[in-house]
């Protein structure tokens, strides 16, 4: 049995209906066992395909354009040769082939190490490859850990930024809990690179990392993220099956053990804010909770969402102020001010309930009630023009300004953590 | 600057008096029953007012987005509903440049389907320019022999094909009607994406588009699909027909022709400082 671990990325097109399917698959750098190069010939002989990329090295990914009528037979071929693939996008217009080409070019660009385009949106596999690259580029600072698997068994990877010590107090930052909020995963990835490159250069982050660790979860909801690439760009929830319902998924930010099942969350599995059958029913949430609890010394819990340009602190499940309201409000306002200093982007600061809406089962309410005082949620750009579909040109400006806000909070944590 | 008829003198006078009432000095005493509004509800109400304005102006080149809410109070009118009093800045929808300030009231009625809006704004953009911009892309659209079609505007990456920008802008204007109608005190909307657009070539001088738009509903987070038909001739009220599909709700449909009640004094091309 030949186990091929090359994952070609393939583009299927439906010419007569001007629909294109983009199929992307992960290229693994190790454990590659190469099939005889003739598999391409074999594939070609029975299907009218168009190879976009003709790599000289058979270990490199391949782009193939396949007419829709051939899709079935190509799939069968790949499966029988144990070539894994996953559908990335469907129902693209051929006349949008420019953005399609851009994305393909992006993938080609980023396959080279050190060439990752942080100013673009990437599929899950590319993000995971970038995490590996960062750990490889900054081995004394950055390491990658798996904190568990998603519902569909995708790994959940965190990056640990540490200059040593044993179980130092730490800051937690996560993104992408709602998969359609693409600016958050992109911002988190840029931030990872920023932290790594700033250590030793920026006195503030250097002193912070000399005393504390940072844990960064770039893709909190990988199943949802993959789904936004393959099926529905506007998917928000997890991809778990709901018993007794045809509707899939739970809102992972209504699933935490904080006022669970209260106002602002739905009991309907078909709803975008369905809280799930019970608190922590979603494995993605459980994995984070387990990590935080077993670490024992997390001093700040920061999470990224989009959109609305808000900096929020507890509570959401109840409309009363937290005991630390004054301090959190002060820190929040300082962070928003720092953020605005770069490009003038204004953020409102306040509790979840008064600023956005009452919502139970949210992550920062849980972390705060658990004892992590510095619990903040960012709602990143914009305020509704593009919403979830924020242009890629705004990724780096958003990440740059958000960084200033994050740093402000982290500095306060560094200087005040007990 | 647009000329006001004698019948609109009342609101004009009110406008002239407003700098006195709205903060030219220390905080004026609030009328009985007026409450400070949370930023969430204030923003929501301001957006409703802007949906109404964008729809009534029916000008794709003069679309406005919410800037900052400066003042917001609410009054309960027993048996009728809640009336919001708002002052907010606005930005050009495309460029995000500040383009003026609005004063608005938004009355959420218990019994009627949509909020009643009164809105007056300054406008610092050159009106002649926006009229010309409207006319130039109207001409471009009229010159189409092949109807414009498109999907996913913006696409997943936030990109809008330049050739589809006018169609997108018209979708924003048309969706404004739809979002104004659907908005309640607690439910707000954003136009998330144009899923599909198809132009109908007409024999008269109107521009005619069929859309499938996706609205983002707050705070439910639902994505609502609506079919939208927009018929536009520059300088005329926008004609909008829609029906929305939702898994959890029955479909609703409405038709708008620019004759709905509510008021806007249009735009004053005044300097910001004179307001």
């Amino acid at each position: 049995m030949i186990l091929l671990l090359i994952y070609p990325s393939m583009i299927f097109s439906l010419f007569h209906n001007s629909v294109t399917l983009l199929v992307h698959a992960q290229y693994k750098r190790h454990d590659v066992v190469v099939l005889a190069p003739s598999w391409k010939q074999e594939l070609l002989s029975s299907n009218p395909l168009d190879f976009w990329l003709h790599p000289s090295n058979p270990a490199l990914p391949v782009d193939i354009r396949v007419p829709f009528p051939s899709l079935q037979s190509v799939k069968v071929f790949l499966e029988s040769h144990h070539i894994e693939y996953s559908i990335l996008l469907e129902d693209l217009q051929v006349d949008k082939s420019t953005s399609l080409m851009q994305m393909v070019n992006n993938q080609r660009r980023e396959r080279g190490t050190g060439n990752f385009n942080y100013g673009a949106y990437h599929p899950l596999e590319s993000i995971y490859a970038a995490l590996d690259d960062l750990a490889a580029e900054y081995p004394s600072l950055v390491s990658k850990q798996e904190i568990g698997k998603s519902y569909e068994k995708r790994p959940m990877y965190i990056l640990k930024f540490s200059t040593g010590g044993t179980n130092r107090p730490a800051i937690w930052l996560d993104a992408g809990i709602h998969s359609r909020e693409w600016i958050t995963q992109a911002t988190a990835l840029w931030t990872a690179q920023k932290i790594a490159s700033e250590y030793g250069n920026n006195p503030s982050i250097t002193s912070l990392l000399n005393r504390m660790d940072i844990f960064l979860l770039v893709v909190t909801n990988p199943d949802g993220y993959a789904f936004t690439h393959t099926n529905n760009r506007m998917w928000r929830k997890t991809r778990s099956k709901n018993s007794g319902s045809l509707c899939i998924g739970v809102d992972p930010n209504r699933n935490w053990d904080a006022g669970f099942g209260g106002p602002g969350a739905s009991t309907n599995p078909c709803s975008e804010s369905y809280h799930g059958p019970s608190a922590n029913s979603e494995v993605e949430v459980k994995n984070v909770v387990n990590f935080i609890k077993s670490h024992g010394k997390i001093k700040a819990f920061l999470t990224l969402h989009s959109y609305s340009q808000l900096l929020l602190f507890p509570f959401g499940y109840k409309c009363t102020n937290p005991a630390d309201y004054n301090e959190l409000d002060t820190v929040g306002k300082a962070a928003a001010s720092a953020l605005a200093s770069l490009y003038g982007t204004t953020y409102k600061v306040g509790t979840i309930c008064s600023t956005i809406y009452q919502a139970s089962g949210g992550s920062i309410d849980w972390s705060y009630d658990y004892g992590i005082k510095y619990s903040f949620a960012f709602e990143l750009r914009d305020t509704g023009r593009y919403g979830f579909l924020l242009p890629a040109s705004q990724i780096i400006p958003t990440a740059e300004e958000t960084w200033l806000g994050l740093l402000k909070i982290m500095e306060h944590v560094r200087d005040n953590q007990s | 600057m647009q000329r006001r008829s004698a019948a609109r003198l009342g609101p004009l006078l009110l406008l002239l008096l407003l700098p006195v009432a709205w903060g030219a000095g220390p905080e004026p005493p609030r009328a009985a029953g007026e409450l400070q509004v949370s930023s969430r509800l204030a923003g929501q109400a301001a957006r409703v007012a802007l949906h109404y304005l964008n729809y009534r102006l029916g000008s794709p080149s003069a679309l406005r987005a919410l800037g900052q809410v400066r003042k917001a109070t609410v009054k309960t009118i027993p048996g009728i509903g809640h009336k919001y009093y708002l002052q907010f800045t606005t930005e050009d929808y495309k460029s995000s440049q500040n383009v003026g300030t609005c004063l608005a009231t938004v009355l959420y009625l218990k019994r009627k389907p949509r909020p009643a809006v009164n809105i007056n704004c300054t406008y610092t953009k050159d009106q002649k320019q926006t009229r010309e911009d409207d006319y130039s892309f109207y001409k471009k659209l009229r010159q189409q022999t092949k109807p414009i079609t498109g999907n996913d505007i913006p696409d997943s990456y936030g990109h809008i094909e330049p050739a589809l920008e006018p169609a997108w802008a018209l979708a924003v204007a048309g969706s404004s009607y739809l979002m104004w109608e659907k908005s309640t005190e607690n439910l707000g909307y954003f136009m998330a994406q144009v899923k599909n657009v198809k132009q109908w070539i007409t024999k008269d001088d109107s521009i005619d588009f069929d859309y499938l738009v996706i609205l983002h509903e707050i705070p439910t987070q639902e994505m609502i699909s609506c079919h939208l038909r927009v018929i536009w001739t520059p300088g005329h009220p926008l004609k909008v027909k829609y029906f929305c599909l939702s898994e959890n709700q029955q479909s609703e449909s409405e038709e708008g022709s620019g004759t709905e009640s509510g008021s806007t004094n249009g735009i004053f091309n005044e300097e910001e400082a004179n307001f």
Side-chain angles (χ1 to χ4, degrees):
Chain A
M1 184 193 86
I2 299 167
L3 184 66
L4 180 71
L5 291 170
I6 297 174
Y7 303 101
S9 74
M10 309 174 46
I11 298 156
F12 303 89
S13 72
L14 174 62
F15 290 97
H16 58 275
N17 239 12
S18 298
V19 166
T20 308
L21 294 175
L22 176 69
V23 177
H24 176 82
Q26 171 66 43
Y27 171 57
K28 271 192 178 164
R29 276 90 185 291
H30 49 274
D31 293 342
V32 171
V33 175
V34 179
L35 257 183
S38 59
W39 74 265
K40 278 194 290 176
Q41 267 62 29
E42 211 188 319
L43 189 58
L44 268 172
S45 66
S46 47
N47 299 278
L49 302 179
D50 181 17
F51 282 85
W52 280 24
L53 249 191
H54 300 262
S56 47
N57 182 344
L60 287 177
V62 171
D63 294 341
I64 315 173
R65 223 166 120 212
V66 178
F68 193 74
S70 303
L71 183 56
Q72 252 334 95
S73 69
V74 170
K75 274 179 159 181
V76 165
F77 177 91
L78 294 175
E79 277 152 18
S80 67
H81 285 80
H82 303 281
I83 300 174
E84 276 182 40
Y85 66 93
S86 59
I87 312 264
L88 243 195
L89 291 159
E90 56 185 13
D91 292 335
L92 276 184
Q93 284 298 304
V94 159
D95 65 13
K96 275 168 48 264
S97 58
T98 349
S99 48
L100 181 60
M101 277 309 301
Q102 271 171 14
M103 205 185 80
V104 171
N105 286 334
N106 258 349
Q107 288 177 33
R108 289 180 199 160
R109 263 202 302 274
E110 77 214 28
R111 278 168 201 151
T113 55
N115 264 336
F116 191 81
N117 183 2
Y118 287 94
Y121 294 113
H122 296 278
L124 186 66
E125 296 78 10
S126 304
I127 293 181
Y128 281 7
L131 298 180
D132 284 331
D133 287 347
L134 277 172
E137 196 178 342
Y138 301 93
S140 53
L141 180 67
V142 184
S143 59
K144 189 184 84 169
Q145 279 176 234
E146 184 181 316
I147 63 166
K149 301 242 193 286
S150 68
Y151 182 82
E152 291 176 342
K153 302 288 182 271
R154 291 183 175 82
M156 290 176 65
Y157 293 127
I158 54 170
L159 287 182
K160 175 181 181 181
F161 298 84
S162 180
T163 59
T166 323
N167 195 227
R168 281 181 176 169
I171 292 171
W172 169 271
L173 174 61
D174 69 68
I177 192 170
H178 290 138
S179 38
R180 62 191 180 198
E181 299 166 7
W182 278 17
I183 186 59
T184 67
Q185 298 93 336
T187 293
L189 201 49
W190 182 95
T191 304
Q193 211 280 334
K194 184 69 170 172
I195 295 172
S197 62
E198 286 285 271
Y199 178 73
N201 298 312
N202 176 317
S204 190
I205 199 74
T206 303
S207 75
L208 188 147
L209 283 169
N210 285 340
R211 292 191 246 164
M212 300 179 76
D213 295 341
I214 298 175
F215 292 98
L216 176 49
L217 176 58
V218 174
V219 189
T220 308
N221 179 4
D223 296 348
Y225 191 61
F227 199 72
T228 59
H229 284 269
T230 61
N231 287 74
N232 181 354
R233 174 63 177 82
M234 298 297 183
W235 189 261
R236 165 184 170 91
K237 301 189 287 183
T238 61
R239 291 293 301 163
S240 57
K241 288 192 179 44
N242 292 308
S243 92
S245 174
L246 289 173
C247 292
I248 293 197
V250 166
D251 184 340
N253 207 34
R254 301 288 184 277
N255 190 246
W256 300 71
D257 194 4
F260 177 83
S266 174
T267 53
N268 181 354
C270 298
S271 166
E272 294 280 26
S273 58
Y274 174 51
H275 51 55
S278 58
N280 300 325
S281 64
E282 301 314 282
V283 64
E284 293 84 357
V285 171
K286 194 84 186 97
N287 289 336
V288 176
V289 169
N290 285 345
F291 177 85
I292 302 279
K293 281 184 167 175
S294 58
H295 183 280
K297 280 167 92 181
I298 303 292
K299 298 296 171 188
F301 187 95
L302 311 173
T303 185
L304 301 184
H305 288 260
S306 77
Y307 54 94
S308 280
Q309 291 172 204
L310 307 170
L311 180 45
L312 307 165
F313 51 91
F315 291 106
Y317 71 87
K318 56 187 176 184
C319 294
T320 51
N321 291 340
D324 301 292
Y325 177 89
N326 288 334
E327 186 182 357
L328 295 178
D329 190 57
T330 305
V331 174
K333 287 197 160 78
S337 187
L339 188 154
S341 70
L342 196 55
Y343 297 112
T345 308
T346 54
Y347 271 57
K348 287 209 219 355
V349 180
T351 67
I352 296 172
C353 185
S354 66
T355 313
I356 192 167
Y357 42 73
Q358 190 174 10
S360 57
S363 64
I364 67 169
D365 284 357
W366 170 79
S367 62
Y368 184 80
D369 278 347
Y370 184 68
I372 301 172
K373 175 163 58 162
Y374 300 109
S375 293
F376 288 95
F378 284 76
E379 291 275 359
L380 301 180
R381 292 194 193 180
D382 59 10
T383 52
R385 260 179 206 77
Y386 289 96
F388 301 122
L389 307 178
L390 196 69
S393 57
Q394 291 197 43
I395 293 175
I396 293 186
T398 301
E400 286 176 331
E401 67 190 10
T402 306
W403 169 246
L404 298 180
L406 286 170
L407 197 51
K408 216 15 129 202
I409 296 175
M410 296 198 292
E411 285 165 353
H412 185 90
V413 177
R414 173 197 68 197
D415 299 339
N416 288 276
Q417 46 106 359
S418 46
Chain B
M1 185 160 116
Q2 293 184 343
R3 292 280 142 224
R4 303 288 102 204
S5 71
R8 309 294 271 272
L9 200 57
L12 230 198
L13 280 177
L14 185 65
L15 207 61
L16 293 172
L17 289 171
L18 279 166
V20 176
W22 280 79
E27 190 71 45
R30 245 175 244 128
E34 278 184 14
L35 303 165
Q36 201 49 50
V37 186
S38 76
S39 65
R40 146 174 72 116
L41 292 176
Q44 195 131 295
R47 242 172 257 117
V48 168
L50 275 179
H51 289 327
Y52 175 75
L53 181 76
N54 283 330
Y55 158 61
R56 284 304 302 270
L57 293 181
S59 164
S61 310
L63 290 167
R64 267 172 269 203
L66 180 63
Q68 301 292 319
V69 176
R70 295 265 177 253
K71 269 194 173 73
T73 55
V74 67
K75 199 158 144 174
T76 303
I77 303 176
I80 307 279
H82 292 152
K83 189 166 186 178
Y84 285 70
Y85 298 80
L86 306 156
Q87 183 183 21
F88 52 89
T89 63
T90 59
E91 299 175 352
D92 180 72
Y93 203 88
K94 274 227 69 201
S95 70
S96 299
Q97 297 270 50
N98 185 298
V99 286
T101 312
C102 298
L103 294 171
T105 63
V106 177
L107 174 57
Y108 294 109
L109 298 148
K110 287 199 205 291
R111 270 173 209 53
K112 256 202 190 155
R114 64 185 166 225
V117 177
N118 290 290
I119 178 168
N120 309 312
C121 302
T122 60
Y123 193 53
T124 54
K125 221 171 148 190
D126 181 6
Q127 269 181 260
K128 189 159 160 290
Q129 185 60 53
T130 58
R131 271 199 287 268
E132 281 173 15
D133 291 341
D134 274 354
Y135 235 84
S136 70
F137 88 63
Y138 169 75
K139 269 200 311 230
K140 232 186 304 172
L141 291 171
R142 286 299 302 160
Q143 281 157 10
Q144 294 285 132
T145 45
K146 190 166 156 293
I148 289 176
T149 58
N151 287 323
D152 291 345
I153 311 158
D155 67 14
S156 288
Y157 308 89
H159 175 71
I160 300 177
E161 213 48 53
L164 291 171
E165 275 204 36
W168 176 76
L170 218 44
V172 174
S175 295
S176 297
Y177 172 71
L178 157 53
M179 294 188 289
W180 164 50
E181 287 246 315
K182 285 177 74 66
S183 293
T184 67
E185 194 167 359
N186 291 300
L187 276 180
Y189 297 90
F190 296 89
M191 192 190 87
Q193 191 180 40
V194 174
K195 208 64 192 146
N196 191 272
V197 58
K198 183 171 182 246
Q199 183 184 13
W200 297 98
I201 304 290
T202 61
K203 292 194 177 67
D204 62 23
D205 53 3
S206 67
I207 301 293
D208 193 337
F209 277 109
D210 226 329
Y211 295 102
L212 179 63
V213 297
I214 314 277
L215 301 185
H216 178 209
E217 183 181 77
I218 301 281
T220 62
Q221 296 293 339
E222 302 297 328
M223 307 305 288
I224 317 276
S225 297
C226 299
H227 284 279
L228 198 64
R229 184 74 175 268
V230 180
I231 298 169
W232 176 60
T233 317
H236 288 72
L238 214 53
K239 284 201 187 65
V240 184
K241 275 194 256 201
Y242 71 86
F243 73 91
C244 294
L245 317 155
S246 173
E247 281 173 20
N248 297 328
Q249 299 157 25
Q250 285 164 352
S251 72
E252 334 132 321
S253 64
E254 281 299 335
E255 200 166 321
S257 58
T259 57
E260 297 77 9
S261 67
S263 77
T264 168
N265 277 20
I267 31 191
F268 292 103
N269 208 9
E270 286 173 12
E271 286 305 315
E272 184 69 30
N274 291 338
F275 184 72

